[in-house]
Amino acid sequence: DKAPGQKECDEAIDTINGVIKELDEASLAAINQNLVTKQESNLQGFQEQMANCTGEINEGIDRVVQAAKAHPEQLGHQVSSMANYFIPLASGAIGAASKTVNSQRQAALLELPKTVAESALQLMYAAKEGGGNPK
């Protein structure tokens, strides 16, 4: 528990779990045709937000893996940095889904970032467990 990055891994895990819950709630609202339309941006803006976040998450994967395998002093920063992109990713996905009229498309659109978040959650658990140990 005292190893470098453990607290940050726990915080990243909590953040990503919260995002998954938020996406699940939005998906249920979409299925029930109760998803509230977000006014912060238009569909293109939400799509760009999602694309930017997924790009940053994708770039962060290797950094987290390397820190988990060989650089424990960097682990905390790398997992925190990567986790910070999941809240705007979920927000963008919910916003984009809210601009889509078909409830099945809304639910499908919300499922994709949820899958990314679930995969990242597994990475965070593995990174925490590895904690910089190359074995």
Side-chain angles (χ1 to χ4, degrees):
D1 287 345
K2 301 284 185 203
Q6 296 299 298
K7 180 179 149 242
E8 292 87 349
C9 284
D10 287 337
E11 291 169 355
I13 288 167
D14 289 345
T15 297
I16 295 171
N17 274 324
V19 164
I20 292 170
K21 182 181 177 195
E22 184 180 0
L23 289 166
D24 278 339
E25 290 170 358
S27 187
L28 283 173
I31 290 168
N32 293 322
Q33 299 179 347
N34 292 330
L35 188 61
V36 177
T37 303
K38 302 285 183 182
Q39 301 300 326
E40 294 88 9
S41 187
N42 58 19
L43 179 59
Q44 182 178 354
F46 287 126
Q47 289 172 331
E48 288 173 3
Q49 179 177 339
M50 289 173 53
N52 291 338
C53 291
T54 54
E56 292 294 332
I57 290 167
N58 188 39
E59 288 180 16
I61 292 170
D62 286 336
R63 292 191 297 259
V64 169
V65 169
Q66 289 305 314
K69 284 183 178 179
H71 303 286
E73 71 281 358
Q74 296 176 8
L75 183 60
H77 173 71
Q78 296 301 337
V79 297
S80 296
S81 177
M82 186 173 159
N84 285 336
Y85 289 101
F86 281 92
I87 293 172
L89 174 64
S91 176
I94 293 167
S98 77
K99 298 292 186 178
T100 306
V101 292
N102 182 307
S103 65
Q104 288 178 328
R105 286 187 182 161
Q106 288 175 335
L109 181 61
L110 293 167
E111 191 62 32
L112 297 173
K114 181 182 170 194
T115 301
V116 172
E118 289 169 341
S119 297
L121 188 61
Q122 294 306 312
L123 175 62
M124 295 299 167
Y125 281 123
K128 179 181 179 189
E129 188 175 315
N133 185 347
K135 296 179 183 176

